[in-house]
Each structure stands twice: as structure tokens, then as C-alpha cells.
Amino acid sequence: MARAVTASRKALTTAIAGALAFLMFFPILWIVVLSLKTEVDAIRAPWQVLTSGWTFESYGAVQERSDYFKHFWNSVIIAFGSTLLGLVIAVPAAWAMAFVPGKRTKDVLMWMLSTKMLPPVGVLVPIYLLFINIGLLDTRFGLVIVLMLINLPIIIWMLYTYFREIPGEILEAARMDGASLREEVLYVLTPMAIPGMASTVLLNVILAWNEAFWTLNLTASKAAPLTAFIASYSSPEGLFYAKLSAASVMAIAPILIMGWFSQKQLVRGLTFGAVK
């Protein structure tokens, strides 16, 4: 029997949720406001910032100084490339762990997850030297490899969780019908796990898009994505708040738009298998 929810309790819950949502969104809103101000207005008191004039000159200055579209395409290639390469490796790995479980499956999963607990700076020097020696420094391919390896544990964990919700009997029936291992994974398992795979792709694209540590340390100019594009507006001369805010808005806008239009698929994937 469902519990009755009073109108006052519903209103209170809605108000609290709305307040929390506003607090989480406020930093982005404030960055947008500062991006529409001049450098002089951007450093004023908050009330004076809101009441001063509005202008798009910071966006024009950012585009004149930096090639936004070059950084944008670098981010697209690096984020989607690392995610798709991770899927190619993670799908068979998650399939093996989900449907051919061994005594050490949980130990392997925990070991993979433990690699995310290692501070990135701990392996920066060897990876940096390796990239110099094999010619991958400041290349998009090098960043694709690094970000794929960084996010691979998360991709495998998520796919393993979704694959475990798929009845093994369906795969057994496919084998009895003569399906090969490749056909089983490609034509039976993958279509059934599309909601989970879609949410995995979206989450890992966001993680790769926002990655700053490796992109700042392993690039200079050729393969620099939007994270490096933002960092270029922090200089020894000081912070240019209006231009920095404009660069930030230009960097996060594509991923925000993608997240907004794919939120239904993301929620569906993250709740996949939650209700039997």
C-alpha cells in the first residue's frame, strides 16, 4: 500500500529540491553572467556586476585570440575516440566477467577500480617520458590512448553491471541456434544492452571532455582540447575574468547541450535493471 503524501510535505520537498538545484547550477549561471561583462565590470561587487551593461565583446576577443574550433574538434576526437576504443575493449571483458564468471571475478573488478584511486601525478613522469620517446606527445592519438586507459575500469564496471541483468538463457538459446561467439556478442548481447551502453558512452564522454590533468600535461598546441583552451586565459599577468568566463562557457556549452538532449537516455541507462 502506497504511503499518502500530504500537499505540505510535497511542497516542502519540491522547495528543497529546487533550492539544491539552484545552488548546483549557480556557478554555471554566474560564469555566463561574467562572460557577458567587460573586464572592468567583471571584477566589481556582485550587485554592480548584475546592474552593469551587457556585451558580447569577450566572446569576440576569445575567438580572435584562440582558434576555438580547433580546440573543439580536438575535444570531440579525444572524448569520443577514447570512449569508443574503450567500448571495443570493455564489451568482451564485461561479457567474460558477466557470463563466464570465475572465482576471482570480483577481485579483478576491485583491482581495476583501485587503479582509479592512484593519484595521476604518481605516473605522470613515466608516461611523459614514454610519450616523448615514442613520439606521442602533443598528439590526439596519444591522448585517446591515455584517456581510454584512465576510464576503462569505469566502462567495464558499468557494462558488467548491465550485462548481469540480461538472462543468460537468452545467450544459451542463441548458441543452440548456431550463433558463434562473435554473433552472440554482436547481434544478441549488444542490442539488449543498448540503454546501458548509451549511458556508459555519455558518462565517459563527459569524463573525457572534462579531463584537465592529462590534457594540460601531455599537449602543447597541436592536440590541445578545450580544457587547455580555458587554461590559456590564466596568465602571469593575472586573471581576465570576463574572457576566462567566456572561454569556459564556450567549452562547456557543447557538453551541456548534449547532456540536456540525452538526459532521458542517460537516466534510462543508469536505472537499467533497477526494477524487475
Side-chain angles (χ1 to χ4, degrees), residues 188-225:
V188 180
L189 179 66
T190 303
M192 295 183 65
I194 281 179
M197 292 181 68
S199 64
T200 301
V201 167
L202 291 170
L203 180 61
N204 283 274
V205 165
I206 293 171
L207 291 174
W209 189 279
N210 294 329
E211 176 60 43
F213 180 82
W214 291 107
T215 56
L216 291 177
N217 284 287
L218 297 179
T219 62
S221 58
K222 294 180 182 178

Side-chain angles (χ1 to χ4, degrees), residues 83 86-87 90-91 93-95 97-98 109 112-113 151-166 189 193-207 265-273:
T83 301
L87 277 180
V91 167
W95 172 87
M97 293 180 182
L109 287 168
M112 286 191 299
L113 192 62
N151 293 327
L152 188 59
I154 296 177
I155 300 176
I156 294 177
W157 259 89
M158 291 183 70
L159 291 181
Y160 169 78
T161 303
Y162 300 133
F163 288 175
R164 289 286 292 173
E165 300 297 331
I166 297 174
L189 179 66
I194 281 179
M197 292 181 68
S199 64
T200 301
V201 167
L202 291 170
L203 180 61
N204 283 274
V205 165
I206 293 171
L207 291 174
Q265 186 64 45
L266 182 61
V267 172
R268 181 186 174 194
L270 292 174
T271 57
F272 181 69

Side-chain angles (χ1 to χ4, degrees), residues 126-242:
I127 289 180
Y128 186 84
L129 295 175
L130 182 65
F131 268 46
I132 291 177
N133 291 330
I134 61 180
L136 289 179
L137 192 65
D138 198 19
T139 63
R140 291 183 293 200
F141 180 71
L143 283 177
V144 165
I145 297 297
V146 167
L147 296 187
M148 180 274 292
L149 294 173
I150 290 172
N151 293 327
L152 188 59
I154 296 177
I155 300 176
I156 294 177
W157 259 89
M158 291 183 70
L159 291 181
Y160 169 78
T161 303
Y162 300 133
F163 288 175
R164 289 286 292 173
E165 300 297 331
I166 297 174
E169 292 79 6
I170 296 178
L171 301 183
E172 291 178 7
R175 291 186 206 121
M176 292 178 65
D177 288 338
S180 64
L181 179 59
R182 175 178 169 277
E183 292 171 337
E184 176 186 328
V185 174
L186 232 99
Y187 301 117
V188 180
L189 179 66
T190 303
M192 295 183 65
I194 281 179
M197 292 181 68
S199 64
T200 301
V201 167
L202 291 170
L203 180 61
N204 283 274
V205 165
I206 293 171
L207 291 174
W209 189 279
N210 294 329
E211 176 60 43
F213 180 82
W214 291 107
T215 56
L216 291 177
N217 284 287
L218 297 179
T219 62
S221 58
K222 294 180 182 178
L226 287 171
T227 46
F229 169 74
I230 297 173
S232 67
Y233 287 89
S234 176
S235 65
E237 292 81 13
L239 290 176
F240 298 94
Y241 288 102

